[in-house]
Every structure is written in C-alpha cells, then in structure tokens.
Amino acid sequence: MLPTNPTSRVRLSRRSWLGAAAGVGALSLLFGKMAFASEPRKQLPYRIGCSGRSLHKLLPTRDKEGEISVEQFIEKARQWGCDCVELQDVGLRSYEADYLLSLKRAAFLQSIELSGVSVYTNFVRTKEEDRQKAIERAAEWIERTALLGAPLMVVFPGSNKSMQKERGVELVAEALTTLAPTAANHGVMLAIENHGMLIDRAQQIAQVVEQVASPWVGANLDTGNFARDAYENIERLAPYAVNCHLKMDTREGRKRHPADLPRKFQMLRDAGYTGRVVLQYELKGDAMAEVPKCLAEMQALAAPTTAAS
C-alpha cells in the first residue's frame, strides 16, 4: 500500500542524489566508450588542397605584382574542387594585418579552408644571433598564421653546407622547442618539412619531432623532396606527419620520375594519416592548365578503397 503521508516518502539527500547521478553518468560514459571501441574505425576521404607553390610564378610577392592575386588563387582553388588552400609567405604582397584579414575573408566567402602557411625559415645558420633572428621571425609568423585563421604553419630546417647533419637536427629541435609554447598559445600546429640540409632521410625529421616531443609539433611530409629511396622514406615519415605536400614526381639522385599516386595515398592510409593532402605542382607544364588535372587525380584517390574501408 502506498503511503498516504507525503513526508513518509523516501527522499534522497542532495549528497545522495549527486552520488546517484554521478554513478549513472559513469555507467553511461563506460558503456558509451565500450560501444565506441567496438565500432570499426572508418576511414574517411582525405581533404584535398592546393598550395600557392603550385602557382608561385603567377602570384605576387612583396617586390612584384603577380599575374593573379591571392584572392583569385583562392577562388580558382574553390572552382577546382579543393577543400583547402595553403599559402606561402613569399607569395603575399603584404604582411600587414588588414591584408591578412582580407584573405581570411576571401577564403570564408568561397567556403574554402585556409589550412596553412608555409614560412621559409633557416634554423641552422652558423651564428647564434642569426639563428635567434630566424626563431623570432618564425614567432611573428605564428601570430600572422593565427590571424589568418589557419591551423598550420609549415617551417623548414634551412641549409648550411659546412654543418654536420647531427648538429642540424639538434639546432632545428632547439628552435622548435623554443617556438612550441607560442604555437600552442595561438592554436597553430608547427610542421617541419623534409627539406634543406635534412632532405636525405626521413629519420632526420623524425628525430627532430621526437626530440621536441610537443603535441603542437609534427612533420610536413613532402613526397617529392627525398633525394633517393622516396617510397621507403615516405613510409618512415608518414607516422609523424600532420600535413602532406604531394608532388607529382619523385627523385632518385638527379633524376625525377612520375609519382605512383595510388601507392602514395595507400601509404598514407597504412600509416593512419588523417590530415590534409595538398598539391605542390612543380613540373614544367602550364600550371593553370595542369594543376586542375592533377587535383582531379588526387580527388579520385581521396576516398578509401572498398577493401580499406
């Protein structure tokens, strides 16, 4: 028989109620995790982008007018079906805030992501004061990258023919360790490219990333930069990559060969890479005619194969 006196009903104290609610929440979280873990990991299509490097001969610099503006490049990339565009510091006519914000607006109006900026750096200069200037310049560009609304800044080791590779790895790691807190504070991922004096082997860039050991520092895998054993090096560096520059060829010494694009995409998937794949067209053809063809090839490979999914 139900109690007739309301005061005789069982009541939960505030502490008891909170404890019970916490218990229910914990169970929900536990079973939610179990259900999520039981689901097979689904591979999604890669986001395909175009780097300003692909049209660098047509774009402006701070010293000359270009045949097309950066805004027109962004519009073209959208027409070509790109998900994102990546800019270069050398391909901008101004570094002023008003101009950078105008590019952010242009990308927004085209419904295209401004995914990153490549900033040419040299962290392996012989003089310490020169290295410090390079770090300070990179820090300024982290702020500019954040102003653009881009989540990524690609940086480069630099070149120094008189320096040993081991010392180069050490100096690049020191520079990125210094820059990592600034990158974190601005929400900008730093990606060090296999380039310059660290172009030979994937292990050199991997060592840099491991030494820095920051969640805001990874590798920018450039598939066309390795001087030899390209596919072996791609496979080794892909697990460290947070961004990928895809080139339409590979190197073997001084010779260049057409790239095996399906193989490159599959290697990225096998490594668990989930970032963007950005075209850097550097062949000798007419860029305005060839870039959309290359992007179409990449877009056809962006989705995982039935077997992989």
Side-chain angles (χ1 to χ4, degrees):
M1 181 175 179
L2 293 174
T4 56
N5 186 351
T7 60
S8 66
R9 294 174 183 169
V10 177
R11 295 181 179 178
L12 289 175
S13 68
R14 183 172 183 273
R15 179 178 297 177
S16 300
W17 186 89
L18 289 173
V24 172
L27 285 173
S28 300
L29 183 61
L30 172 62
F31 285 113
K33 285 183 176 180
M34 290 172 63
F36 181 79
S38 66
E39 294 179 2
R41 185 175 181 180
K42 183 178 180 182
Q43 290 188 337
L44 300 175
Y46 283 120
R47 291 177 62 78
I48 301 299
C50 187
S51 166
R53 176 68 181 172
S54 300
L55 301 178
H56 72 281
K57 294 181 180 178
L58 305 176
L59 288 168
T61 67
R62 297 181 75 185
D63 300 321
K64 70 177 181 66
E65 293 290 330
E67 294 182 33
I68 64 171
S69 66
V70 177
E71 292 89 343
Q72 288 172 318
F73 162 59
I74 292 171
E75 184 177 359
K76 277 291 183 185
R78 182 71 176 87
Q79 293 170 358
W80 293 333
C82 289
D83 299 300
C84 55
V85 291
E86 189 178 300
L87 306 181
Q88 292 186 301
D89 63 336
V90 295
L92 302 176
R93 63 175 176 79
S94 171
Y95 300 158
E96 295 299 319
D98 287 349
Y99 176 64
L100 299 180
L101 289 172
S102 74
L103 298 182
K104 180 179 181 179
R105 177 179 181 275
F108 172 79
L109 293 177
Q110 289 296 328
S111 296
I112 192 169
E113 180 192 24
L114 208 168
S115 62
V117 184
S118 287
V119 178
Y120 286 91
T121 51
N122 189 341
F123 299 128
V124 294
R125 296 184 183 274
T126 302
K127 294 182 178 180
E128 183 177 355
E129 60 187 85
D130 292 334
R131 296 197 299 270
Q132 184 58 38
K133 288 178 181 178
I135 292 172
E136 291 171 359
R137 179 175 180 274
E140 291 174 357
W141 266 103
I142 290 173
E143 296 180 3
R144 292 177 181 134
T145 300
L147 188 64
L148 282 162
L152 171 83
M153 187 172 109
V154 178
V155 293
F156 301 83
S159 298
N160 189 332
K161 293 181 179 179
S162 64
M163 185 175 289
Q164 294 293 319
K165 302 284 187 183
E166 293 77 9
R167 178 59 174 161
V169 168
E170 181 182 328
L171 289 177
V172 174
E174 287 179 4
L176 294 181
T177 298
T178 301
L179 291 165
T182 303
N185 289 338
H186 288 83
V188 173
M189 182 71 71
L190 294 178
I192 181 70
E193 182 167 312
N194 49 303
H195 191 275
M197 74 175 298
L198 302 185
I199 201 171
D200 295 336
R201 292 179 297 149
Q203 188 59 30
Q204 296 162 347
I205 297 297
Q207 286 174 357
V208 170
V209 175
E210 289 178 349
Q211 287 183 29
V212 178
S214 167
W216 291 95
V217 175
N220 182 70
L221 170 59
D222 189 304
T223 67
N225 275 3
F226 293 113
R228 57 186 60 83
D229 302 321
Y231 294 100
E232 179 181 335
N233 279 296
I234 291 170
E235 185 177 27
R236 289 179 177 177
L237 192 55
Y240 296 87
V242 295
N243 195 58
C244 177
H245 286 170
L246 187 132
K247 290 197 170 83
M248 304 303 290
D249 59 358
T250 55
R251 293 173 58 192
E252 192 61 44
R254 294 185 178 182
K255 295 183 179 180
R256 304 197 76 98
H257 306 280
D260 184 343
L261 293 191
R263 184 179 179 186
K264 287 185 176 183
F265 271 87
Q266 191 57 51
M267 293 175 85
L268 292 174
R269 289 194 182 90
D270 291 344
Y273 176 73
T274 56
R276 300 158 185 79
V277 183
V278 180
L279 173 66
Q280 276 202 341
Y281 179 82
E282 292 186 343
L283 302 181
K284 295 181 179 180
D286 176 3
M288 288 297 286
E290 297 301 322
V291 164
K293 297 177 185 177
C294 297
L295 288 168
E297 288 186 59
M298 293 168 62
Q299 288 154 357
L301 294 166
T305 61
T306 303
S309 60

